[in-house]
Amino acid sequence: LAIAPNKETECRDTIKKICDSFAVSPIAREVMEVANTGKNVEEHYFLQPMEGVSRTGYRSSWWTQFYYVLWRSWLTVLKDPMLVKVRLLQTAMVATLIGSIYFGQKLDQDGVMNINGSLFLFLTNMTFQNVFAVINVFSAELPVFLREKRSRLFRVDTYFLGKTIAEVPLFLAVPFVFTSITYPMIGLKSGAVHYLTALMIVVLVANVATSFGYLISCASSSISMA
C-alpha cells in the first residue's frame, strides 16, 4: 500500500484496486453489518482466543510458514538476475584464469607440485567467494525478521531453511561452472568418476563455506560488522 517515488499514479491505482476488492469481500460486509447494527461487537472485535492458533502462538503450521518464506526468498533471488549472471561470469573468469596458469600439467615432480597449488586455489576460491557472497544476507534483513518474529508470523527454523534453500541452486551452479572449466584445463585425472568426485568435494566445500558465511551474518548486528 506504500506510494513509491516516481510511481505515484501507478501505486494509487493499485491501492484503489485493493480497496475496491476489500469493499466487496465477505469480511468487509461483516464489518459493516456489525458497525451498523452494533450487535456482537464484543464477540467480533474484543481480543478473543484466535481459532487455529496453537499453544506456541503461531497462526499457521510449520509447512505453511516454510512454504511462504521459501517462496518470498525465491522471488528475492529472481528479482535480481543481474547478480546471478555477474556471479557466474566472475566464477567463469576466475576459473579460466586459474586454468590458464596451470594449463596442461604432466605427472612429473613439477606437475605434482603445481597440481597441489591448483587444488589449494580450488579450495580458497570456493571458500572466500561463498563466504562473502552471503555475509550480508541475514544482517541486512535483521530488523524485518525481528519484527515478523515478534508478531509470531514464523519460526526461526522456517525462516533460516527458507532463506538458505532458496539460494541452493546458485551454490550448486557456481562450483559446477568452476570445476567444469578448470578440471580439463589443468589436466586433472580423466574419467567421469574422478571428475564427479572432485565436483562433489568442491560443492561440499562451497556449501560449508556458505554455512560459515551464514554463521557470521547471523552473529553480526550489521553488514559493516559482518
Side-chain angles (χ1 to χ4, degrees), residues 10-39:
E10 184 183 333
C11 290
R12 291 185 194 283
D13 290 343
T14 304
I15 293 168
K16 188 174 185 305
K17 287 177 186 174
I18 293 170
C19 293
D20 291 345
S21 299
F22 175 76
V24 297
S25 68
I27 296 174
R29 286 198 294 271
E30 184 184 315
V31 170
M32 288 302 297
E33 186 180 332
V34 172
N36 291 331
T37 60
K39 294 178 181 177

Side-chain angles (χ1 to χ4, degrees), residues 10-179:
E10 184 183 333
C11 290
R12 291 185 194 283
D13 290 343
T14 304
I15 293 168
K16 188 174 185 305
K17 287 177 186 174
I18 293 170
C19 293
D20 291 345
S21 299
F22 175 76
V24 297
S25 68
I27 296 174
R29 286 198 294 271
E30 184 184 315
V31 170
M32 288 302 297
E33 186 180 332
V34 172
N36 291 331
T37 60
K39 294 178 181 177
N40 304 323
V41 174
E42 184 174 332
E43 177 190 334
H44 282 84
Y45 298 109
F46 280 48
L47 288 175
Q48 306 288 339
M50 290 184 294
E51 292 180 14
V53 176
S54 63
R55 283 178 297 176
T56 57
Y58 294 104
R59 291 175 173 79
S60 55
S61 67
W62 190 95
W63 283 108
T64 304
Q65 294 174 37
F66 172 70
Y67 170 78
Y68 280 103
V69 173
L70 178 62
W71 177 69
R72 185 174 72 176
S73 303
W74 181 243
L75 285 181
T76 304
V77 173
L78 293 180
K79 281 179 181 176
D80 204 354
M82 183 55 69
L83 184 64
V84 176
K85 290 174 185 174
V86 167
R87 283 210 59 200
L88 292 175
L89 180 63
Q90 174 195 352
T91 303
M93 289 171 65
V94 172
T96 305
L97 179 64
I98 294 173
S100 302
I101 294 169
Y102 293 99
F103 186 78
Q105 295 300 316
K106 295 174 182 175
L107 284 178
D108 52 22
Q109 189 170 354
D110 289 338
V112 169
M113 293 293 290
N114 289 336
I115 288 171
N116 278 339
S118 68
L119 294 178
F120 174 75
L121 285 176
F122 260 62
L123 298 179
T124 53
N125 183 68
M126 280 296 101
T127 301
F128 290 110
Q129 183 180 351
N130 287 290
V131 164
F132 287 110
V134 299
I135 210 164
N136 65 337
V137 167
F138 291 108
S139 47
E141 290 191 6
L142 192 62
V144 175
F145 165 72
L146 290 174
R147 186 185 70 209
E148 294 181 342
K149 175 71 175 67
R150 291 187 189 117
S151 302
R152 312 296 281 175
L153 290 177
F154 47 70
R155 296 168 172 81
V156 176
D157 55 348
T158 55
Y159 174 76
F160 182 81
L161 288 171
K163 287 287 294 179
T164 52
I165 291 173
E167 297 190 355
V168 162
L170 182 59
F171 295 124
L172 292 176
V174 166
F176 175 76
V177 170
F178 184 81
T179 309

